[in-house]
Amino acid sequence: MAPWWLPGGHLQSIVPAFLMRRRPAVQYRRERWDTLDGDFVRDGDFIDIDFASPEPVATDAPLLVLFHGLEGSSRGHYARSTMRFFADRGWRALVVHFRSCSGEMNRLPRAYHAGDYKEGDWILRAVHARWPEARLYAVGVSLGGNMLAKWAGERGDSASFVTAAASISAPLDLKAGGEKLRSGFNKIYTRHFLCTLRPKVEEKLRLFPDLARDSEHAKRMREAHDLYEFDNEYTAPVHGFHDVEDSSRDVEVYWERASAKPGLGMVRIPYLLLNALNDPFVPRESLPRVDQVSPLVELDQPAEGGHMGFPRGPWPGNIDFVPERLHHFFSRHGSPQP
């Protein structure tokens, strides 16, 4: 599937994300939604949602909700290609920004994490309540894909208001994925993520100095060298995954509890899991097998594609595979044909 001129998982991940010039143009309309935590007047929080234009007039137009990956946004190559593809076919398509990812820091100490399925549940139910006549579909990418799959497993039958869903390049075993990103060439991806994660932590510590137990903890937050250290010092404690007495197991507990893989047998809606076997973020041995998932879960594990790359075609190539694959899957589960 991948073009001959783009061999290997690293190139198939990096070139589509940063070097391919063919980027679909998407105009967005942004809405800001108050979250359910805190006092809305004094200390409430918000999320920003970008709607792809043009938006359909009909209230029963099919809906697609996209949850982005770690430090992603509606500007990402996969978000733009997916939004353009579905908006052009008459869908109401929108990108949900996790807290702190829309270009403006959120107001509360918390941010987002890979197992934040309760936040995902609130968002999906709010979308459904606003357009109850429309068939609702959801897709999560990378971290957002683990969150969405975690949601489907946790909610079981109560997820049925979503017609079908999909996760693309999701690290469904967070421990396996996190450990892979600590070694070899993969460290370059970690450095890329930390370029934005560290400044966010700096801002959080300025606004909420009590986030750190002491000056040494604050230093470890600021100077995390990889995602293991970042999750250990910030993500896990801020989002309630450990107590101080059990600090030796902070990240293991977070990664284990937030991983979607153990709950895939409880998924009760049609669900697509698309993972390339050469994904540098996700070890192939960590991917789920047929006997580990619900009969409603479809496993698609092509040999090539990298991490959210899936390039194809002659030079300079294109990134249409993912939205086309999503549309094909959703068309088998209630969505209108083009």
Side-chain angles (χ1 to χ4, degrees):
M1 182 184 69
W4 64 267
W5 51 270
L6 203 58
H10 291 298
L11 287 177
Q12 290 168 19
S13 303
I14 294 171
V15 171
F18 299 107
L19 301 180
M20 280 186 175
R21 294 184 178 276
R22 295 177 66 181
R23 290 284 186 272
V26 183
Q27 291 184 326
Y28 288 113
R29 177 184 64 83
R30 176 164 293 186
E31 289 186 6
R32 177 162 291 185
W33 293 5
D34 290 328
T35 62
L36 297 181
D37 49 4
D39 181 319
F40 291 165
V41 176
R42 296 195 305 270
D43 61 356
D45 214 340
F46 66 90
I47 60 166
D48 287 328
I49 297 181
D50 283 353
F51 291 77
S53 298
E55 293 181 53
V57 175
T59 58
D60 62 349
L63 277 158
L64 180 63
V65 177
L66 185 147
F67 295 95
H68 61 73
L70 180 63
E71 291 301 276
S73 73
S74 63
R75 300 183 301 275
H77 67 292
Y78 55 82
R80 288 162 60 181
S81 64
T82 303
M83 292 294 102
R84 182 74 281 138
F85 184 95
F86 281 89
D88 286 348
R89 285 156 179 79
W91 290 50
R92 181 172 280 106
L94 56 105
V95 180
V96 176
H97 289 97
F98 291 120
R99 305 191 199 200
S100 81
C101 291
S102 64
E104 183 175 339
M105 182 63 70
N106 66 303
R107 302 186 189 114
L108 297 184
R110 63 155 296 172
Y112 66 101
H113 62 85
D116 207 359
Y117 71 90
K118 293 180 180 179
E119 183 100 312
D121 185 71
W122 160 63
I123 293 164
L124 289 170
R125 291 182 185 278
V127 172
H128 176 60
R130 184 164 171 180
W131 292 284
E133 300 172 28
R135 291 184 180 272
L136 175 58
Y137 300 83
V139 57
V141 175
S142 193
L143 176 146
N146 180 81
M147 184 282 295
L148 186 61
K150 176 77 171 175
W151 167 81
E154 291 285 342
R155 289 299 183 242
D157 291 332
S158 68
S160 61
F161 67 94
V162 172
T163 303
S167 291
I168 314 297
S169 297
L172 303 165
D173 180 338
L174 294 172
K175 184 177 181 181
E179 289 177 348
K180 188 165 186 179
L181 285 174
R182 302 184 77 189
S183 61
F185 183 83
N186 289 343
K187 293 178 181 178
I188 193 172
Y189 305 116
T190 296
R191 287 196 290 269
H192 170 71
F193 291 132
L194 289 175
C195 283
T196 54
L197 288 170
R198 281 174 174 163
K200 287 183 179 180
V201 166
E202 189 69 44
E203 178 69 4
K204 293 289 187 183
L205 287 171
R206 184 184 69 80
L207 295 172
F208 308 102
D210 290 342
L211 280 180
R213 295 186 294 271
D214 50 42
S215 60
E216 284 301 314
H217 184 206
K219 181 180 179 182
R220 292 195 302 273
M221 282 185 177
R222 294 186 176 100
E223 298 179 1
H225 293 93
D226 55 35
L227 294 181
Y228 181 99
E229 293 181 6
F230 183 85
D231 283 348
N232 191 55
E233 305 301 338
Y234 175 75
T235 309
V238 167
H239 296 98
F241 281 97
H242 81 290
D243 54 38
V244 175
E245 288 74 27
D246 196 21
S247 59
S248 64
R249 283 179 50 81
D250 293 350
V251 172
E252 185 177 359
V253 169
Y254 161 52
W255 282 347
E256 288 178 354
R257 286 178 55 192
S259 291
K261 186 176 178 180
L264 294 176
M266 301 301 295
V267 174
R268 296 292 182 265
I269 60 173
Y271 207 107
L272 172 67
L273 294 176
L274 174 61
N275 292 90
L277 295 179
N278 68 348
D279 188 331
F281 289 38
V282 182
R284 66 169 63 194
E285 60 272 15
S286 72
L287 294 176
R289 304 184 307 269
V290 173
D291 64 337
Q292 295 176 313
V293 303
S294 156
L296 291 173
V297 174
E298 179 176 326
L299 301 179
D300 188 353
Q301 299 174 354
E304 297 185 295
H307 187 76
M308 268 315 300
F310 299 99
R312 64 181 184 178
W315 176 265
N318 65 67
I319 51 175
D320 298 334
F321 173 78
V322 168
E324 289 178 2
R325 180 69 179 91
L326 289 170
H327 192 263
H328 176 72
F329 178 74
F330 293 153
S331 294
R332 290 164 37 210
H333 299 287
S335 78
Q337 297 296 321

